[in-house]
Amino acid sequence: YEMIRKAILEEKWSDIPGLLTPDGSLEKWVGDRASISSEGKMSIDGRELPNSLKERINSMITKGEDPAPFFRFWERLLKNPSWRSVEQLWPFLANSGIPITKDGCFLAYKGVRHDLKDQHSGTVSNVPGVINELPRNQISDDPNVACHFGFHVGALSYARGFAARVVVCKVDPSDVVCIPYD
């Protein structure tokens, strides 16, 4: 409704027909790569979005907000080779209130020592601007073990619970290896 109203107020008459259907509105954001089924299922490149992500996107479109970061997030997430990470990451982020960036990454929190080194080994620098990387096959993907091999980020309340300081980390969804059950 808001987008139709805006088109009328701005006298963008040619935009209105495309805004009258969910597919038309969706096409505005992601082109012909997106579709909505008769059952209301939203897909991009043939891959159905989780209901909670679809609802978030629909809510943003309804409010006239730009949902593009969430489409970018989904595109990045689909590059992740782990089925479990693809299935579990969005529900975790949505439940934790972790923000999505304009480029489709997300901002999570890491508890660190006073010197900004990691809590466990004290050897990994987390100074702003440092990029930490590990080969994927050197990171534990066991969701039953909360603190195992690899780099860890999480919700703010979790990171604050055991650390002297907290840093904000930008994470590409395609790089997430595991979402622990805890």
Side-chain angles (χ1 to χ4, degrees):
Y1 170 79
E2 287 298 322
M3 292 170 57
I4 294 170
R5 183 177 180 277
K6 183 178 177 184
I8 291 170
L9 291 173
E10 294 175 3
E11 298 183 10
K12 294 183 177 178
W13 310 117
S14 62
D15 289 357
I16 294 172
L19 298 172
L20 294 175
T21 65
D23 275 333
S25 295
L26 190 58
E27 190 172 310
K28 176 183 181 218
W29 301 106
V30 291
D32 60 1
R33 298 174 37 228
S35 64
I36 298 180
S37 72
S38 58
E39 298 87 30
K41 296 181 183 204
M42 184 184 295
S43 298
I44 298 178
D45 295 333
R47 180 77 186 258
E48 186 180 334
L49 278 73
N51 279 334
S52 60
L53 182 56
K54 179 188 83 165
E55 290 166 8
R56 177 73 176 264
I57 289 169
N58 282 337
S59 172
M60 293 180 79
I61 290 172
T62 300
K63 293 176 184 174
E65 298 172 356
D66 182 2
F70 290 87
F71 290 122
R72 290 184 195 111
F73 165 81
W74 184 244
E75 289 170 339
R76 286 178 178 271
L77 183 57
L78 290 182
K79 292 178 184 172
N80 192 311
S82 166
W83 179 87
R84 188 182 305 142
S85 291
V86 171
E87 292 296 313
Q88 295 176 345
L89 182 58
W90 170 250
F92 167 75
L93 296 178
N95 186 50
S96 302
I98 292 178
I100 304 296
T101 62
K102 288 184 186 255
D103 62 357
C105 291
F106 62 91
L107 301 177
Y109 307 91
K110 179 168 187 62
V112 296
R113 298 177 182 195
H114 283 290
D115 62 359
L116 299 179
K117 301 256 175 142
D118 70 287
Q119 281 290 115
H120 300 289
S121 73
T123 61
V124 179
S125 174
N126 292 280
V127 171
V130 168
I131 297 173
N132 292 313
E133 295 179 312
L134 275 175
R136 191 174 187 97
N137 64 4
Q138 291 182 17
I139 300 170
S140 172
D141 61 355
D142 183 352
N144 295 303
V145 182
C147 290
H148 214 222
F149 301 111
F151 298 127
H152 304 87
V153 296
L156 182 58
S157 59
Y158 185 80
R160 277 186 177 158
F162 63 87
R165 297 175 79 180
V166 174
V167 294
V168 178
C169 301
K170 183 177 180 181
V171 181
D172 188 323
S174 68
D175 292 333
V176 172
V177 175
C178 185
I179 296 92
Y181 293 138
D182 81 327

